[in-house]
Amino acid sequence: MPHDRTLLYAGHEFTVEHLRSHAKEEPGWSGPYTLESRRIIFPVGRTMLDLRWGGSTWQVDGLTAMHLADAMVYQLRPSTHATRRSLVVSRHRPSRADDAAPAFCLLSPRSLYRVHAAQHRLRAGDGGTVAIASLVDELGTSRRQSPLTGAVARARRLLAETADRDTRLSLHELADAVSRSPFHLARSFRHETGLSPHQYRQHLRLASAMERLADGDADLAGIAHDLGFCSQSHLGAVFRREVGVTLGEARRVLAGSSKSGNSSARI
């Protein structure tokens, strides 16, 4: 799977790159990839893919940060044709024993905003490394996601596929789509992810809003409408509560952070 890389920072402790993964035309699993050293991958755009390692498969979406281990051999299976954008941190210090296996963690909207803001500052040459180091350290204590199978995996996939559309899926509709009762799905979903299906979809929608702001979209009312919010004020209230800043402040901070150069490389 071809990638375009842009180096944002290179220091003694780590390097940071923006990675743009081109859409794959053919479905199915990729060939095996082998990492030379461990990497932490933060999402900065919509994505939906499966990652297979050691006989287990994890789902990765726009809320999922990945910690990939030294010499890890894995395969990818994109679920959509959308271009995937990530912030990749390569650590240079020796790995610890608990780095032998990959880790997959869900980012809160506040953490995801910090990733976007740090990327913007790195692009502008105005710091951002302290925030990146803090985010990496936090992953070490974050709740790790287990490989998902069954109804919860199907529900997560459906939520990710429809989060950036004006689609209002009720819990009953989501449960029907994955052949479970609403009670069973809600309980299983919270057990696996730590969130209710409604909270999960809300976080995905906020992630889409941040991506559009980072892409320079200044039409706050249009973003709210496209993502299924009742109004701009509704999106603004949810954004302020979950992210901790106003929509206007986020637009000011994130605007222009999506610009990137092209230097092709393969992960």
Side-chain angles (χ1 to χ4, degrees), residues 118-136:
Q119 178 181 233
H120 176 71
R121 295 189 65 184
L122 288 171
R123 288 190 182 282
D126 184 30
T129 57
V130 172
I132 291 294
S134 176
L135 286 160
V136 169

PDB file of all heavy atoms in Angstrom, residues 118-136:
ATOM      1  N   ALA A 118      -1.229  19.614  17.958  1.00  0.00           N
ATOM      2  CA  ALA A 118       0.218  19.383  17.940  1.00  0.00           C
ATOM      3  C   ALA A 118       0.733  19.290  16.514  1.00  0.00           C
ATOM      4  O   ALA A 118       1.802  19.822  16.185  1.00  0.00           O
ATOM      5  CB  ALA A 118       0.552  18.108  18.713  1.00  0.00           C
ATOM      6  N   GLN A 119      -0.019  18.632  15.635  1.00  0.00           N
ATOM      7  CA  GLN A 119       0.392  18.530  14.243  1.00  0.00           C
ATOM      8  C   GLN A 119       0.466  19.916  13.601  1.00  0.00           C
ATOM      9  O   GLN A 119       1.419  20.217  12.871  1.00  0.00           O
ATOM     10  CB  GLN A 119      -0.571  17.647  13.449  1.00  0.00           C
ATOM     11  CG  GLN A 119      -0.198  17.572  11.980  1.00  0.00           C
ATOM     12  CD  GLN A 119      -1.148  16.716  11.163  1.00  0.00           C
ATOM     13  OE1 GLN A 119      -0.737  15.804  10.465  1.00  0.00           O
ATOM     14  NE2 GLN A 119      -2.443  17.006  11.253  1.00  0.00           N
ATOM     15  N   HIS A 120      -0.511  20.752  13.899  1.00  0.00           N
ATOM     16  CA  HIS A 120      -0.504  22.107  13.348  1.00  0.00           C
ATOM     17  C   HIS A 120       0.730  22.884  13.810  1.00  0.00           C
ATOM     18  O   HIS A 120       1.390  23.569  13.015  1.00  0.00           O
ATOM     19  CB  HIS A 120      -1.768  22.841  13.770  1.00  0.00           C
ATOM     20  CG  HIS A 120      -1.797  24.272  13.339  1.00  0.00           C
ATOM     21  ND1 HIS A 120      -1.965  24.651  12.032  1.00  0.00           N
ATOM     22  CD2 HIS A 120      -1.649  25.425  14.043  1.00  0.00           C
ATOM     23  CE1 HIS A 120      -1.929  25.975  11.942  1.00  0.00           C
ATOM     24  NE2 HIS A 120      -1.743  26.459  13.150  1.00  0.00           N
ATOM     25  N   ARG A 121       1.074  22.765  15.082  1.00  0.00           N
ATOM     26  CA  ARG A 121       2.232  23.487  15.613  1.00  0.00           C
ATOM     27  C   ARG A 121       3.530  22.951  15.000  1.00  0.00           C
ATOM     28  O   ARG A 121       4.440  23.726  14.706  1.00  0.00           O
ATOM     29  CB  ARG A 121       2.264  23.375  17.130  1.00  0.00           C
ATOM     30  CG  ARG A 121       1.098  24.056  17.831  1.00  0.00           C
ATOM     31  CD  ARG A 121       1.306  24.098  19.328  1.00  0.00           C
ATOM     32  NE  ARG A 121       2.448  24.940  19.679  1.00  0.00           N
ATOM     33  CZ  ARG A 121       2.907  25.090  20.919  1.00  0.00           C
ATOM     34  NH1 ARG A 121       2.330  24.442  21.919  1.00  0.00           N
ATOM     35  NH2 ARG A 121       3.942  25.868  21.151  1.00  0.00           N
ATOM     36  N   LEU A 122       3.609  21.634  14.796  1.00  0.00           N
ATOM     37  CA  LEU A 122       4.802  21.069  14.166  1.00  0.00           C
ATOM     38  C   LEU A 122       4.948  21.577  12.740  1.00  0.00           C
ATOM     39  O   LEU A 122       6.053  21.905  12.295  1.00  0.00           O
ATOM     40  CB  LEU A 122       4.725  19.541  14.178  1.00  0.00           C
ATOM     41  CG  LEU A 122       4.914  18.863  15.529  1.00  0.00           C
ATOM     42  CD1 LEU A 122       4.580  17.376  15.421  1.00  0.00           C
ATOM     43  CD2 LEU A 122       6.349  19.046  16.036  1.00  0.00           C
ATOM     44  N   ARG A 123       3.856  21.649  12.008  1.00  0.00           N
ATOM     45  CA  ARG A 123       3.904  22.154  10.637  1.00  0.00           C
ATOM     46  C   ARG A 123       4.343  23.609  10.599  1.00  0.00           C
ATOM     47  O   ARG A 123       5.045  24.038   9.683  1.00  0.00           O
ATOM     48  CB  ARG A 123       2.534  22.009   9.971  1.00  0.00           C
ATOM     49  CG  ARG A 123       2.137  20.583   9.630  1.00  0.00           C
ATOM     50  CD  ARG A 123       0.892  20.606   8.766  1.00  0.00           C
ATOM     51  NE  ARG A 123       0.423  19.273   8.449  1.00  0.00           N
ATOM     52  CZ  ARG A 123       0.955  18.497   7.524  1.00  0.00           C
ATOM     53  NH1 ARG A 123       1.992  18.908   6.829  1.00  0.00           N
ATOM     54  NH2 ARG A 123       0.455  17.300   7.277  1.00  0.00           N
ATOM     55  N   ALA A 124       3.912  24.372  11.594  1.00  0.00           N
ATOM     56  CA  ALA A 124       4.234  25.791  11.636  1.00  0.00           C
ATOM     57  C   ALA A 124       5.604  26.061  12.234  1.00  0.00           C
ATOM     58  O   ALA A 124       6.047  27.208  12.266  1.00  0.00           O
ATOM     59  CB  ALA A 124       3.168  26.532  12.436  1.00  0.00           C
ATOM     60  N   GLY A 125       6.286  24.999  12.717  1.00  0.00           N
ATOM     61  CA  GLY A 125       7.584  25.178  13.359  1.00  0.00           C
ATOM     62  C   GLY A 125       7.482  25.895  14.687  1.00  0.00           C
ATOM     63  O   GLY A 125       8.414  26.590  15.115  1.00  0.00           O
ATOM     64  N   ASP A 126       6.338  25.710  15.355  1.00  0.00           N
ATOM     65  CA  ASP A 126       6.063  26.432  16.596  1.00  0.00           C
ATOM     66  C   ASP A 126       5.863  25.459  17.752  1.00  0.00           C
ATOM     67  O   ASP A 126       4.916  25.548  18.516  1.00  0.00           O
ATOM     68  CB  ASP A 126       4.824  27.314  16.404  1.00  0.00           C
ATOM     69  CG  ASP A 126       4.522  28.183  17.623  1.00  0.00           C
ATOM     70  OD1 ASP A 126       5.470  28.545  18.337  1.00  0.00           O
ATOM     71  OD2 ASP A 126       3.332  28.474  17.857  1.00  0.00           O
ATOM     72  N   GLY A 127       6.748  24.473  17.898  1.00  0.00           N
ATOM     73  CA  GLY A 127       6.642  23.511  18.993  1.00  0.00           C
ATOM     74  C   GLY A 127       5.746  22.342  18.637  1.00  0.00           C
ATOM     75  O   GLY A 127       5.612  21.966  17.476  1.00  0.00           O
ATOM     76  N   GLY A 128       5.099  21.766  19.646  1.00  0.00           N
ATOM     77  CA  GLY A 128       4.247  20.606  19.460  1.00  0.00           C
ATOM     78  C   GLY A 128       4.868  19.316  19.968  1.00  0.00           C
ATOM     79  O   GLY A 128       4.162  18.335  20.180  1.00  0.00           O
ATOM     80  N   THR A 129       6.193  19.309  20.182  1.00  0.00           N
ATOM     81  CA  THR A 129       6.855  18.070  20.595  1.00  0.00           C
ATOM     82  C   THR A 129       6.481  17.671  22.018  1.00  0.00           C
ATOM     83  O   THR A 129       6.375  16.483  22.323  1.00  0.00           O
ATOM     84  CB  THR A 129       8.380  18.195  20.479  1.00  0.00           C
ATOM     85  OG1 THR A 129       8.829  19.308  21.262  1.00  0.00           O
ATOM     86  CG2 THR A 129       8.785  18.415  19.035  1.00  0.00           C
ATOM     87  N   VAL A 130       6.298  18.646  22.895  1.00  0.00           N
ATOM     88  CA  VAL A 130       5.915  18.331  24.274  1.00  0.00           C
ATOM     89  C   VAL A 130       4.544  17.666  24.294  1.00  0.00           C
ATOM     90  O   VAL A 130       4.313  16.686  25.014  1.00  0.00           O
ATOM     91  CB  VAL A 130       5.921  19.600  25.147  1.00  0.00           C
ATOM     92  CG1 VAL A 130       5.345  19.295  26.528  1.00  0.00           C
ATOM     93  CG2 VAL A 130       7.333  20.156  25.278  1.00  0.00           C
ATOM     94  N   ALA A 131       3.621  18.187  23.490  1.00  0.00           N
ATOM     95  CA  ALA A 131       2.288  17.596  23.424  1.00  0.00           C
ATOM     96  C   ALA A 131       2.333  16.183  22.860  1.00  0.00           C
ATOM     97  O   ALA A 131       1.646  15.286  23.356  1.00  0.00           O
ATOM     98  CB  ALA A 131       1.370  18.474  22.564  1.00  0.00           C
ATOM     99  N   ILE A 132       3.162  15.957  21.848  1.00  0.00           N
ATOM    100  CA  ILE A 132       3.286  14.615  21.277  1.00  0.00           C
ATOM    101  C   ILE A 132       3.847  13.646  22.311  1.00  0.00           C
ATOM    102  O   ILE A 132       3.346  12.528  22.485  1.00  0.00           O
ATOM    103  CB  ILE A 132       4.189  14.641  20.028  1.00  0.00           C
ATOM    104  CG1 ILE A 132       3.502  15.387  18.887  1.00  0.00           C
ATOM    105  CG2 ILE A 132       4.549  13.219  19.586  1.00  0.00           C
ATOM    106  CD1 ILE A 132       2.258  14.713  18.351  1.00  0.00           C
ATOM    107  N   ALA A 133       4.897  14.060  23.023  1.00  0.00           N
ATOM    108  CA  ALA A 133       5.483  13.194  24.051  1.00  0.00           C
ATOM    109  C   ALA A 133       4.467  12.863  25.132  1.00  0.00           C
ATOM    110  O   ALA A 133       4.405  11.727  25.622  1.00  0.00           O
ATOM    111  CB  ALA A 133       6.705  13.866  24.654  1.00  0.00           C
ATOM    112  N   SER A 134       3.647  13.840  25.507  1.00  0.00           N
ATOM    113  CA  SER A 134       2.631  13.609  26.522  1.00  0.00           C
ATOM    114  C   SER A 134       1.579  12.618  26.034  1.00  0.00           C
ATOM    115  O   SER A 134       1.158  11.720  26.767  1.00  0.00           O
ATOM    116  CB  SER A 134       1.969  14.936  26.904  1.00  0.00           C
ATOM    117  OG  SER A 134       0.911  14.739  27.818  1.00  0.00           O
ATOM    118  N   LEU A 135       1.144  12.759  24.788  1.00  0.00           N
ATOM    119  CA  LEU A 135       0.150  11.849  24.226  1.00  0.00           C
ATOM    120  C   LEU A 135       0.694  10.426  24.153  1.00  0.00           C
ATOM    121  O   LEU A 135      -0.020   9.456  24.439  1.00  0.00           O
ATOM    122  CB  LEU A 135      -0.261  12.331  22.835  1.00  0.00           C
ATOM    123  CG  LEU A 135      -1.171  13.561  22.802  1.00  0.00           C
ATOM    124  CD1 LEU A 135      -1.115  14.222  21.424  1.00  0.00           C
ATOM    125  CD2 LEU A 135      -2.604  13.167  23.137  1.00  0.00           C
ATOM    126  N   VAL A 136       1.952  10.283  23.763  1.00  0.00           N
ATOM    127  CA  VAL A 136       2.562   8.952  23.700  1.00  0.00           C
ATOM    128  C   VAL A 136       2.615   8.326  25.085  1.00  0.00           C
ATOM    129  O   VAL A 136       2.288   7.147  25.267  1.00  0.00           O
ATOM    130  CB  VAL A 136       3.978   9.041  23.090  1.00  0.00           C
ATOM    131  CG1 VAL A 136       4.727   7.720  23.270  1.00  0.00           C
ATOM    132  CG2 VAL A 136       3.888   9.384  21.608  1.00  0.00           C
TER     133      VAL A 136
END
